[in-house]
């Protein structure tokens, strides 16, 4: 087998092609290719700044809240607005609800089927009504179509799925329950955001919703239901996946360099701190060290530009040697991993004690060593742990809300200026950079989490984080790329966001 190509890589958001060259039974080289152009940065030029949070939320239906907050913060920094504490807590609660929805979506509905043997249903003799329903459905599909049911469980790649019936059946039942739990998380975001996806209450200056005590208690009750699911299902399922697939603690390492912008504003600081980790402890974030490289992107010219100076990219689909619609973000010239694992590693390195203790406990429970955190299992475990810690923290933000206190300051535009809005989206570091010209948007740049993780090679031909994580992945020819898909999906790709 000379190469494995997964195109499209399914059960993700957006259009991703993964190409690998195989040598000696493992991946020797990999290419991550975003397959679609969108053009949000170009269409924002010349518009009223107030359009930006509305339009950029449409970059994605999975993480619209992060784009809205990033956009609002960029405008607030350009116009000198300070959001009151109540507004910050409301943003945390809406963003937190979106994180919980997104992490549960990622594990159960996008990734778990990489590890769960759906065929286990056919031998089911128990009485769980959800499983009985699924089994009857599977059997009727086999009677009528002579194959196991189709979407959402099949088709999928063949492979070494663990035979443990308790794991397979339990995870399938939780897959179904997770649909309802995600609905609950969406309701939480909609209670304070007006609607989901694409919230209506997030505007420059703060949050427009009136969150009285009844609304907040409704939110809290739903949060507790989601929290119970995380503790009762999500965490145990991830731990069991770690027991059943221990080799994935050593598969999918990546650059082992981590970056976080920090997130969840608590007034004086953010709960998750900003910074980078590159082998030698926590380092403060220096935004001047960020640039985007267009060498491998289907865009005119080979540029290395800081987002505050960059113009909207001009598509050039026939550009020689280009192979992706993603640009390549770099920090100090190097690729960095972003996302839940990066946030926890940066927080622990920054001395955030509750997070470092939880991370140590997670290592004990999964049996992973610290150096195995950058791995396929480490990424799933970090995402689950973050969901658990966040759900607990959200109760504190509910307690910190001051009923009746303002959540917004009046918006006043400026004719000229520039600003940046940094946030952490569920999938990692998200920044929007804006310049104002005659009161309109002069330029607008988004640098997005999946752009960091799925970036192509840069001018020095250094690969992006996922491209390097794939190198060394052992592959069995009969599995048609399942091992590759497991490594890639653990990063939680959203290529709709990544290209924008
Ligand atoms: Ni479309 Fe997104 C998140 C952002 S990912 S999901 O999380 O920003 O690149
Ligand atoms: Mg961009």
């Amino acid at each position: 087998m000379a190469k494995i190509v997964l195109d499209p890589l399914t059960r993700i958001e957006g259009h991703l092609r993964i190409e690998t060259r195989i040598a000696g039974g493992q991946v020797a080289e990999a290419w991550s290719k975003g397959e679609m152009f969108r053009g949000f940065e170009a269409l924002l030029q010349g518009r009223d700044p107030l359009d930006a949070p509305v339009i950029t939320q449409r970059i994605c239906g999975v993480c619209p809240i992060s784009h809205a907050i990033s956009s609002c913060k960029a405008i607030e920094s350009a116009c000198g607005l300070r959001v009151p504490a109540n507004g910050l807590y409301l943003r945390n609660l809406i963003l937190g609800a979106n994180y919980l929805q997104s992490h549960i979506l990622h594990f159960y509905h996008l990734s778990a089927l990489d590890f769960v043997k759906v065929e286990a249903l056919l031998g089911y003799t128990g009485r769980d009504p959800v499983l009985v329903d699924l089994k009857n459905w599977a059997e009727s599909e086999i009677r009528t179509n002579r194959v196991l049911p189709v979407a959402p469980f099949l088709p999928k790649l063949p492979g070494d799925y663990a035979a443990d019936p308790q794991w397979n059946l339990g995870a399938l039942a939780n897959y179904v329950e997770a649909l309802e739990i995600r609905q609950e998380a969406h309701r939480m975001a909609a209670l304070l955001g007006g609607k989901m996806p694409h919230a209506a209450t997030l505007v420059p200056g703060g949050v427009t919703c009136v969150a009285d005590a009844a609304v907040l208690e409704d939110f809290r009750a739903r949060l507790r239901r989601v929290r119970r699911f995380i503790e009762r299902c999500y965490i145990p399922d991830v731990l069991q996946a770690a027991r059943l697939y221990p080799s994935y603690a050593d598969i999918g390492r990546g650059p082992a360099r981590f970056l976080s912008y920090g997130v969840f504003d608590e007034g004086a600081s953010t709960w998750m701190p900003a910074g980078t980790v590159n082998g030698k402890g926590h380092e403060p974030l220096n935004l001047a060290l960020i640039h985007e490289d267009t060498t491998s992107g289907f865009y005119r010219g080979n540029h290395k530009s800081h987002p505050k100076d960059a113009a909207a990219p001009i598509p050039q689909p026939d550009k020689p040697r280009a192979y992706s619609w993603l640009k390549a973000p770099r920090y100090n010239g190097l690729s960095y991993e972003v996302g839940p694992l990066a946030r926890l590693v940066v927080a622990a390195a920054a001395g955030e004690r509750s997070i470092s203790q939880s991370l140590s406990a997670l290592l004990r429970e999964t049996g992973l060593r610290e150096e195995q955190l950058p791995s396929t299992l480490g990424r799933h475990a970090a995402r689950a742990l973050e969901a658990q810690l966040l759900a607990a923290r959200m109760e504190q933000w509910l307690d910190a809300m001051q009923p009746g206190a303002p959540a917004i300051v009046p918006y006043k535009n400026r004719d000229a200026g520039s600003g940046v809005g940094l946030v952490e989206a569920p999938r990692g570091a998200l920044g929007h950079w804006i310049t104002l010209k005659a009161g309109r948007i002069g330029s607008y740049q988004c640098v997005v989490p999946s752009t960091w993780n799925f970036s192509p090679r840069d001018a020095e031909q250094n690969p992006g984080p996922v491209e390097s994580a794939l190198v060394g992945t052992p592959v069995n020819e009969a599995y048609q790329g399942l091992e590759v898909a497991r490594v890639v999906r653990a990063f939680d790709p959203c290529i709709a966001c990544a290209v924008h």
Side-chain angles (χ1 to χ4, degrees):
M1 185 170 43
K3 63 185 201 174
I4 291 174
V5 178
L6 296 174
D7 182 16
L9 182 80
T10 55
R11 284 193 271 112
I12 64 162
E13 172 61 31
H15 302 67
L16 176 63
R17 174 183 171 99
I18 295 289
E19 273 181 36
T20 57
R21 184 173 65 76
I22 307 299
Q26 32 176 270
V27 174
E29 248 186 315
W31 294 266
S32 158
K33 304 186 170 187
E35 294 274 274
M36 168 190 68
F37 176 68
R38 304 189 72 200
F40 274 80
E41 290 165 349
L43 69 82
L44 283 161
Q45 280 170 0
R47 288 183 177 269
D48 190 307
L50 284 177
D51 290 349
V54 179
I55 291 176
T56 57
Q57 283 199 72
R58 272 70 187 173
I59 288 172
C60 185
V62 185
C63 68
I65 305 303
S66 328
H67 285 289
I69 293 176
S70 226
S71 187
C72 289
K73 287 177 79 170
I75 296 167
E76 285 151 8
S77 89
C79 299
L81 303 174
R82 258 184 82 113
V83 178
N86 253 16
L88 297 178
Y89 288 124
L90 281 170
R91 283 184 181 174
N92 289 354
L93 291 168
I94 301 170
L95 181 62
N98 187 228
Y99 262 62
L100 299 181
Q101 189 285 129
S102 182
H103 285 8
I104 293 169
L105 159 74
H106 175 259
F107 183 69
Y108 285 102
H109 302 134
L110 304 182
S111 298
L113 295 183
D114 289 345
F115 302 99
V116 173
K117 190 175 176 138
V118 177
E119 294 81 349
L121 269 180
L122 298 177
Y124 184 62
T125 53
R127 291 189 188 171
D128 180 320
V130 171
L131 292 174
V132 170
D133 264 5
L134 283 179
K135 179 194 169 185
N136 290 342
W137 171 58
E139 289 178 348
S140 87
E141 288 280 330
I142 289 175
R143 275 196 302 279
T144 34
N145 302 324
R146 293 170 194 273
V147 289
L148 249 170
V150 282
F153 297 133
L154 291 173
K156 54 185 222 167
L157 297 169
D160 58 343
Y161 300 97
D164 180 339
Q166 218 178 339
W167 153 253
N168 288 307
L169 294 168
L172 281 169
N174 293 344
Y175 178 111
V176 176
E177 187 176 348
L179 291 166
E180 270 186 40
I181 296 298
R182 285 176 48 215
Q183 191 177 34
E184 205 66 299
H186 267 318
R187 286 200 180 106
M188 287 159 58
L191 270 175
L192 305 179
K195 68 193 229 333
M196 268 306 279
H198 310 132
T201 64
L202 299 168
V203 296
V207 181
T208 62
C209 76
V210 179
D212 61 20
V215 167
L216 295 178
E217 280 319 299
D218 189 358
F219 187 100
R220 193 191 298 271
R222 296 177 195 280
L223 171 60
R224 291 203 169 145
R225 183 173 175 207
V226 176
R227 205 174 156 189
R228 280 195 297 275
F229 177 83
I230 293 167
E231 310 256 350
R232 180 171 54 80
C233 302
Y234 187 8
I235 297 285
D237 280 343
V238 168
L239 293 178
Q240 185 62 2
R243 278 178 217 117
L244 293 172
Y245 295 89
S247 62
Y248 280 88
D250 295 307
I251 296 176
R253 180 168 170 79
R257 292 183 290 268
F258 303 99
L259 179 146
S260 167
Y261 288 157
V263 69
F264 297 115
D265 232 309
E266 295 182 333
S269 59
T270 51
W271 171 46
M272 305 282 260
T276 60
V277 171
N278 178 11
K280 38 182 194 310
H282 176 266
E283 292 181 65
L285 188 69
N286 177 357
L287 289 186
L289 298 181
I290 294 174
H291 74 254
E292 285 195 301
D293 183 314
T294 58
T295 306
S296 297
F298 293 119
Y299 299 107
R300 197 179 293 167
N302 296 336
H303 307 295
K304 286 186 183 188
S305 321
H306 191 279
K308 75 174 164 34
D309 308 317
I314 300 169
Q316 187 191 342
D318 61 354
K319 180 170 150 186
R321 289 181 296 284
Y323 65 88
S324 176
W325 286 100
L326 276 72
K327 298 188 201 169
R330 296 291 185 261
Y331 184 83
N332 204 14
L334 300 170
S335 69
Y336 272 72
E337 175 173 350
V338 300
L341 176 65
R343 282 192 286 270
L344 295 181
V345 168
V346 167
E352 185 63 46
R353 272 179 65 84
S354 67
I355 291 178
S356 61
Q357 285 168 351
S358 304
L359 203 53
S360 303
L362 183 78
L363 291 175
R364 282 195 300 278
E365 286 170 55
T366 53
L368 296 182
R369 296 187 307 277
E370 192 174 342
E371 62 272 21
Q372 290 172 315
L373 271 174
S375 68
T376 299
L377 285 182
R379 290 183 188 96
H380 283 295
R383 199 174 285 106
L385 174 63
E386 182 179 72
Q388 183 185 28
L389 297 175
L390 172 61
R393 194 76 172 191
M394 287 168 73
E395 297 238 17
Q396 294 181 26
W397 298 327
L398 278 169
D399 295 338
M401 288 283 306
Q402 307 248 323
I408 187 166
V409 292
Y411 164 74
K412 196 165 176 318
N413 192 10
R414 284 187 181 162
D415 271 354
S418 62
V420 55
L422 303 178
V423 74
E424 284 281 315
R427 286 156 196 75
L430 172 65
H432 287 198
W433 278 260
I434 192 172
T435 60
L436 302 175
K437 207 167 140 191
R440 316 287 289 186
I441 295 174
S443 68
Y444 203 100
Q445 288 284 310
C446 312
V447 183
V448 177
S450 292
T451 322
W452 284 97
N453 285 337
F454 289 83
S455 62
R457 283 158 177 68
D458 52 32
E460 289 72 34
Q461 292 304 304
N462 291 317
V466 169
E467 293 181 331
S468 60
L470 280 165
V471 173
T473 302
V475 293
N476 179 328
E477 192 167 343
Y479 299 165
Q480 300 173 19
L482 174 65
E483 305 93 334
V484 169
R486 282 173 175 159
V487 172
V488 174
R489 287 207 188 92
F491 281 87
D492 198 356
C494 176
I495 305 305
C497 272
V499 180
H500 53 271

